[in-house]
């Protein structure tokens, strides 16, 4: 969410730095402030909201069961 691309395209073979900093965490939810830079300036930025369940296997079990049938 809040994705901002400051360029319309990125060159093939170019090198970029990627940085993700934890901005907020509340139990199983977290928000990361993410940037991609080309050594001179930030070319992409975004806030990434993630969910990390305490028991990932139990959380994914219904999906695994559905895909195996």
């Amino acid at each position: 969410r809040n994705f901002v691309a400051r360029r319309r395209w990125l060159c093939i073979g170019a090198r970029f730095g990627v940085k993700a900093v934890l901005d907020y965490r509340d139990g199983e939810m977290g928000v990361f402030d993410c940037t991609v830079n080309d050594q001179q300036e930030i070319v992409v930025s975004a806030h990434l909201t993630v969910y990390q369940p305490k028991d990932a296997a139990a959380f994914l079990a219904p999906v695994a069961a559905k895909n195996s049938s």
Side-chain angles (χ1 to χ4, degrees):
R1 65 180 221 185
N2 296 330
F3 177 86
V4 176
R6 292 173 175 83
R7 293 188 187 163
R8 297 180 85 180
W9 49 268
L10 303 174
C11 294
I12 295 174
R15 293 185 173 253
F16 297 95
V18 178
K19 182 177 181 182
V21 177
L22 181 61
D23 187 44
Y24 174 79
R25 183 174 180 114
D26 184 15
E28 298 174 336
M29 298 295 292
V31 178
F32 289 85
D33 182 23
C34 305
T35 57
V36 176
N37 69 68
D38 70 352
Q39 312 303 325
Q40 298 174 5
E41 65 179 331
I42 293 174
V43 294
V44 177
S45 64
H47 285 104
L48 179 63
T49 303
V50 297
Y51 174 68
Q52 182 178 8
K54 290 179 183 175
D55 186 350
F59 179 77
L60 296 173
V63 174
K66 182 178 178 180
N67 288 337
S68 66
S69 49

